[in-house]
Amino acid sequence: MDSYELRIQYELSRWKQKNLTDSNVFKTSAKKIQLKIQSLLPEQIQDLLTQSIKNMMTLFIGGSSVFSGGSEEYDALSLRERDEILDKKLNEYKKISAVEGAGTGAGGILLGLADFPLLMGIKIRFLVEAAKIYGYAPKDEVERQFMLYIFQLAFSSDEHRKKTLHVIENWEDQLDQNPQINWEHLQQEYRDHIDLAKLLQLVPVIGAPVGAYVNYQLLEQLGETAKNAYRIRHLKKKGELLN
């Protein structure tokens, strides 16, 4: 194991501990406020949020041209090289999501609502890129399942996040059991995880800067989760993952 991979072991340890730690009082209070605001949203808006998740489900279940192409171009790369490529891709997607968030946030409620499905598409495309970079074919249904566990780990409650981390850490060991996604649970967890700041994107005037900032941060969160999830698989495949 080279020095880079030893450093990654330490980073993984800290990252896993962060995911196993419950949210602080401030985050818990903010979550209560957020859920209260969500409950006050008109039914049409709540339906649109739900439909965004359902569209993602359809994309993953049925497959799509977005999953075409393999990971062959990355086959000979080291973990360091894969991480560097992912960082570059992530920066691209963060900028795209920020521009998209600012544009839709500037338009008030109607355009602000359009951001939810648009951002979902950006997240999916990023996960497809991440899978390929680390040597996995997203056209494989099993790999799409793994991508959705990454998605859940990035955007879910404390309790569900801990369970999801366990699945990711033991992915190869569970393939015979064919771990299936609970779509209803995924949909509810993601809706409940939508940040209070994300809802503020629907407010005219402040929507544009809020939209840009929040989208950027959400992609950052997804990127960190994807990178570390694939690092775990890479090191475990080599028999070098430390507990």
Side-chain angles (χ1 to χ4, degrees):
M1 187 185 306
D2 62 29
S3 60
Y4 181 78
E5 292 188 353
L6 281 173
R7 178 165 66 82
I8 295 310
Q9 298 275 6
Y10 173 71
E11 289 183 11
L12 282 174
S13 177
R14 294 190 61 181
W15 174 75
K16 287 191 286 186
Q17 187 57 45
K18 182 176 73 171
N19 279 282
L20 293 172
T21 302
D22 290 336
S23 298
N24 57 35
V25 175
F26 174 77
K27 287 186 177 180
T28 302
S29 299
K31 175 61 64 178
K32 291 179 181 178
I33 296 172
Q34 169 200 327
L35 292 176
K36 179 62 176 177
I37 292 176
Q38 282 182 254
S39 70
L40 298 175
L41 290 175
E43 186 175 343
Q44 304 96 301
I45 293 179
Q46 297 197 43
D47 287 345
L48 179 61
L49 298 179
T50 300
Q51 191 60 45
S52 298
I53 310 298
K54 287 183 178 179
N55 289 341
M56 184 191 72
M57 294 179 185
T58 302
L59 182 66
F60 272 86
I61 292 174
S64 166
S65 59
V66 73
F67 300 122
S68 63
S71 58
E72 295 82 4
E73 62 181 298
Y74 304 111
D75 283 351
L77 299 183
S78 66
L79 181 58
R80 180 197 291 268
E81 290 170 323
R82 296 177 195 274
D83 284 352
E84 290 173 350
I85 294 173
L86 184 82
D87 288 342
K88 291 178 182 178
K89 286 289 183 181
L90 178 58
N91 282 331
E92 293 174 11
Y93 277 91
K94 286 192 294 186
K95 291 174 183 176
I96 291 171
S97 66
V99 170
E100 185 269 319
T104 53
I109 292 179
L110 291 180
L111 277 179
L113 286 173
D115 175 65
F116 288 94
L118 290 173
L119 181 61
M120 185 71 68
I122 293 172
K123 290 173 179 174
I124 290 172
R125 292 197 297 276
F126 170 74
L127 284 175
V128 169
E129 293 273 13
K132 293 177 180 179
I133 289 168
Y134 286 93
Y136 299 98
K139 61 184 177 182
D140 184 335
E141 183 179 351
V142 173
E143 291 306 326
R144 297 205 298 275
Q145 293 273 344
F146 185 77
M147 290 157 64
L148 285 176
Y149 274 104
I150 292 175
F151 189 90
Q152 291 182 87
L153 183 57
F155 309 114
S156 60
S157 63
D158 291 343
E159 181 181 356
H160 190 61
R161 188 173 65 245
K162 295 172 187 177
K163 294 177 181 178
T164 305
L165 178 59
H166 178 76
V167 172
I168 284 177
E169 285 187 288
N170 299 281
W171 183 255
E172 261 73 24
D173 302 331
Q174 301 174 106
L175 287 181
D176 291 340
Q177 302 171 28
N178 193 21
Q180 294 293 314
I181 294 291
N182 183 324
W183 294 107
E184 274 191 33
H185 200 175
L186 183 152
Q187 175 180 313
Q188 189 62 47
E189 285 285 337
Y190 183 67
R191 279 198 55 189
D192 289 350
H193 192 274
I194 294 173
D195 290 331
L196 177 61
K198 192 67 180 160
L199 295 175
L200 292 177
Q201 185 179 345
L202 304 180
V203 180
V205 182
I206 68 170
V210 167
Y213 175 78
V214 174
N215 280 13
Y216 190 93
Q217 293 300 317
L218 289 175
L219 259 293
E220 175 70 29
Q221 186 174 342
L222 182 61
E224 178 189 36
T225 305
K227 178 194 282 187
N228 285 312
Y230 283 117
R231 281 171 164 177
I232 287 173
R233 287 185 73 182
H234 178 91
L235 292 170
K236 196 163 187 177
K237 187 176 181 180
K238 294 175 63 178
E240 296 178 350
L241 182 65
L242 304 177
N243 293 325

